[in-house]
Amino acid sequence: MCNNSLIYMITPTTTAVTSGGVLPLSTIARRRGKSISSETDSVLLSAPGYYKINACVTFSAPAPGVVTIRLAKDGVAVPGITGSDTITVATTELRTISISGIVRVSCCGDSSSLSLINSGIAITATNISFDVEYLD
């Protein structure tokens, strides 16, 4: 089956994200195919197979500490698709975390939802990008 579905979501505006909060995905920059669509702050995968994900988050934080960004599939953190960085100077220090990996959607009409979770300290995100591509 030739699918070629992809989506590229962005949030180019400054957004506060609490510890444990879902990162907002506000704008579809690019989309092709029918197997990948957007929902509120998540991406819906509707075809069985493998999907490649890439995410990049630029942020500051109101307090020093560790920021951790994780991919969640159906609300559960995906092992290995996580990134962390440490903020040492509150408010003015900008950092970027990038994560990538491959997730699988089982067969037989199952669908899955992907979201990005901030499991570290609260942040102020200045740019969020998230792309998902159907592999097979």
Side-chain angles (χ1 to χ4, degrees), residues 71-95:
L71 178 73
K73 180 180 170 224
D74 301 323
V76 178
V78 178
I81 306 180
T82 184
S84 296
D85 205 342
T86 301
I87 292 285
T88 56
V89 179
T91 310
T92 59
E93 183 178 359
L94 283 177
R95 296 289 183 161

Tab-separated table of all heavy atoms in Angstrom, residues 71-95:
chain	number	residue	atom	x	y	z
A	71	LEU	N	7.417	12.019	24.135
A	71	LEU	CA	6.322	11.678	23.240
A	71	LEU	C	5.389	10.740	23.985
A	71	LEU	O	5.838	9.786	24.633
A	71	LEU	CB	6.842	10.983	21.973
A	71	LEU	CG	5.728	10.562	21.016
A	71	LEU	CD1	5.133	11.774	20.309
A	71	LEU	CD2	6.239	9.552	20.000
A	72	ALA	N	4.097	11.021	23.896
A	72	ALA	CA	3.091	10.126	24.470
A	72	ALA	C	2.225	9.577	23.346
A	72	ALA	O	1.821	10.317	22.445
A	72	ALA	CB	2.232	10.857	25.486
A	73	LYS	N	1.979	8.280	23.384
A	73	LYS	CA	1.077	7.621	22.443
A	73	LYS	C	-0.126	7.154	23.246
A	73	LYS	O	0.018	6.378	24.187
A	73	LYS	CB	1.775	6.437	21.773
A	73	LYS	CG	0.907	5.691	20.787
A	73	LYS	CD	1.681	4.533	20.155
A	73	LYS	CE	0.739	3.666	19.373
A	73	LYS	NZ	0.972	2.257	19.604
A	74	ASP	N	-1.291	7.661	22.912
A	74	ASP	CA	-2.522	7.356	23.644
A	74	ASP	C	-2.368	7.652	25.136
A	74	ASP	O	-2.836	6.911	25.993
A	74	ASP	CB	-2.952	5.911	23.407
A	74	ASP	CG	-3.199	5.623	21.933
A	74	ASP	OD1	-3.718	6.519	21.245
A	74	ASP	OD2	-2.863	4.521	21.470
A	75	GLY	N	-1.647	8.746	25.448
A	75	GLY	CA	-1.485	9.197	26.817
A	75	GLY	C	-0.389	8.531	27.614
A	75	GLY	O	-0.166	8.872	28.769
A	76	VAL	N	0.342	7.576	27.005
A	76	VAL	CA	1.401	6.840	27.699
A	76	VAL	C	2.746	7.198	27.072
A	76	VAL	O	2.889	7.157	25.839
A	76	VAL	CB	1.160	5.315	27.615
A	76	VAL	CG1	2.282	4.551	28.279
A	76	VAL	CG2	-0.185	4.951	28.218
A	77	ALA	N	3.726	7.543	27.907
A	77	ALA	CA	5.056	7.897	27.402
A	77	ALA	C	5.650	6.748	26.594
A	77	ALA	O	5.563	5.591	26.992
A	77	ALA	CB	5.983	8.248	28.559
A	78	VAL	N	6.223	7.075	25.441
A	78	VAL	CA	6.876	6.083	24.583
A	78	VAL	C	8.322	5.957	25.030
A	78	VAL	O	9.066	6.944	24.999
A	78	VAL	CB	6.801	6.493	23.099
A	78	VAL	CG1	7.524	5.477	22.221
A	78	VAL	CG2	5.350	6.673	22.661
A	79	PRO	N	8.755	4.771	25.463
A	79	PRO	CA	10.140	4.597	25.933
A	79	PRO	C	11.152	5.008	24.859
A	79	PRO	O	11.005	4.669	23.688
A	79	PRO	CB	10.237	3.102	26.226
A	79	PRO	CG	8.831	2.650	26.429
A	79	PRO	CD	7.993	3.525	25.538
A	80	GLY	N	12.151	5.771	25.273
A	80	GLY	CA	13.241	6.143	24.378
A	80	GLY	C	13.009	7.393	23.555
A	80	GLY	O	13.944	7.933	22.984
A	81	ILE	N	11.759	7.865	23.468
A	81	ILE	CA	11.508	9.081	22.689
A	81	ILE	C	11.306	10.215	23.686
A	81	ILE	O	10.192	10.627	24.001
A	81	ILE	CB	10.325	8.913	21.720
A	81	ILE	CG1	10.540	7.694	20.822
A	81	ILE	CG2	10.179	10.174	20.867
A	81	ILE	CD1	9.438	7.433	19.816
A	82	THR	N	12.431	10.695	24.202
A	82	THR	CA	12.447	11.716	25.244
A	82	THR	C	13.734	12.521	25.146
A	82	THR	O	14.732	12.038	24.614
A	82	THR	CB	12.309	11.046	26.639
A	82	THR	OG1	12.234	12.048	27.632
A	82	THR	CG2	13.472	10.145	26.938
A	83	GLY	N	13.694	13.729	25.632
A	83	GLY	CA	14.882	14.561	25.672
A	83	GLY	C	14.830	15.484	26.871
A	83	GLY	O	13.748	15.885	27.302
A	84	SER	N	15.991	15.812	27.423
A	84	SER	CA	16.062	16.675	28.608
A	84	SER	C	17.169	17.708	28.454
A	84	SER	O	18.153	17.479	27.745
A	84	SER	CB	16.357	15.845	29.859
A	84	SER	OG	15.317	14.955	30.125
A	85	ASP	N	16.999	18.818	29.153
A	85	ASP	CA	18.034	19.843	29.239
A	85	ASP	C	17.824	20.595	30.550
A	85	ASP	O	16.738	20.553	31.127
A	85	ASP	CB	17.971	20.800	28.055
A	85	ASP	CG	19.314	21.456	27.769
A	85	ASP	OD1	20.203	21.442	28.657
A	85	ASP	OD2	19.479	21.989	26.662
A	86	THR	N	18.869	21.276	30.999
A	86	THR	CA	18.814	21.977	32.280
A	86	THR	C	18.854	23.481	32.072
A	86	THR	O	19.720	23.997	31.359
A	86	THR	CB	19.992	21.551	33.178
A	86	THR	OG1	19.917	20.142	33.377
A	86	THR	CG2	19.950	22.254	34.524
A	87	ILE	N	17.926	24.164	32.706
A	87	ILE	CA	17.910	25.622	32.745
A	87	ILE	C	18.636	26.042	34.019
A	87	ILE	O	18.292	25.584	35.111
A	87	ILE	CB	16.462	26.163	32.765
A	87	ILE	CG1	15.751	25.884	31.453
A	87	ILE	CG2	16.427	27.639	33.130
A	87	ILE	CD1	16.169	26.773	30.302
A	88	THR	N	19.660	26.883	33.885
A	88	THR	CA	20.391	27.355	35.067
A	88	THR	C	20.070	28.808	35.409
A	88	THR	O	20.204	29.214	36.550
A	88	THR	CB	21.914	27.206	34.869
A	88	THR	OG1	22.300	27.903	33.691
A	88	THR	CG2	22.293	25.741	34.753
A	89	VAL	N	19.636	29.590	34.397
A	89	VAL	CA	19.293	30.992	34.607
A	89	VAL	C	17.823	31.188	34.239
A	89	VAL	O	17.441	31.031	33.074
A	89	VAL	CB	20.174	31.927	33.752
A	89	VAL	CG1	19.780	33.382	33.975
A	89	VAL	CG2	21.641	31.713	34.060
A	90	ALA	N	17.011	31.496	35.214
A	90	ALA	CA	15.572	31.654	34.988
A	90	ALA	C	15.265	32.791	34.020
A	90	ALA	O	15.982	33.782	33.955
A	90	ALA	CB	14.870	31.905	36.315
A	91	THR	N	14.232	32.597	33.230
A	91	THR	CA	13.593	33.579	32.352
A	91	THR	C	14.369	33.932	31.081
A	91	THR	O	13.788	33.973	30.006
A	91	THR	CB	13.250	34.881	33.113
A	91	THR	OG1	12.549	34.533	34.307
A	91	THR	CG2	12.371	35.788	32.290
A	92	THR	N	15.661	34.149	31.137
A	92	THR	CA	16.394	34.648	29.970
A	92	THR	C	17.140	33.577	29.194
A	92	THR	O	17.510	33.797	28.042
A	92	THR	CB	17.404	35.727	30.383
A	92	THR	OG1	18.324	35.177	31.323
A	92	THR	CG2	16.697	36.922	30.991
A	93	GLU	N	17.392	32.434	29.776
A	93	GLU	CA	18.172	31.380	29.115
A	93	GLU	C	17.271	30.576	28.176
A	93	GLU	O	16.267	30.018	28.596
A	93	GLU	CB	18.778	30.462	30.173
A	93	GLU	CG	19.663	29.376	29.611
A	93	GLU	CD	20.290	28.526	30.710
A	93	GLU	OE1	20.058	28.778	31.908
A	93	GLU	OE2	21.007	27.605	30.338
A	94	LEU	N	17.630	30.531	26.895
A	94	LEU	CA	16.875	29.748	25.916
A	94	LEU	C	17.570	28.417	25.665
A	94	LEU	O	18.799	28.366	25.522
A	94	LEU	CB	16.750	30.492	24.587
A	94	LEU	CG	15.732	31.614	24.523
A	94	LEU	CD1	15.795	32.298	23.162
A	94	LEU	CD2	14.331	31.114	24.795
A	95	ARG	N	16.799	27.359	25.600
A	95	ARG	CA	17.289	26.010	25.297
A	95	ARG	C	16.401	25.395	24.233
A	95	ARG	O	15.248	25.795	24.046
A	95	ARG	CB	17.265	25.120	26.535
A	95	ARG	CG	18.160	25.549	27.651
A	95	ARG	CD	19.592	25.315	27.274
A	95	ARG	NE	20.463	25.672	28.374
A	95	ARG	CZ	21.684	25.260	28.478
A	95	ARG	NH1	22.211	24.487	27.555
A	95	ARG	NH2	22.422	25.645	29.495
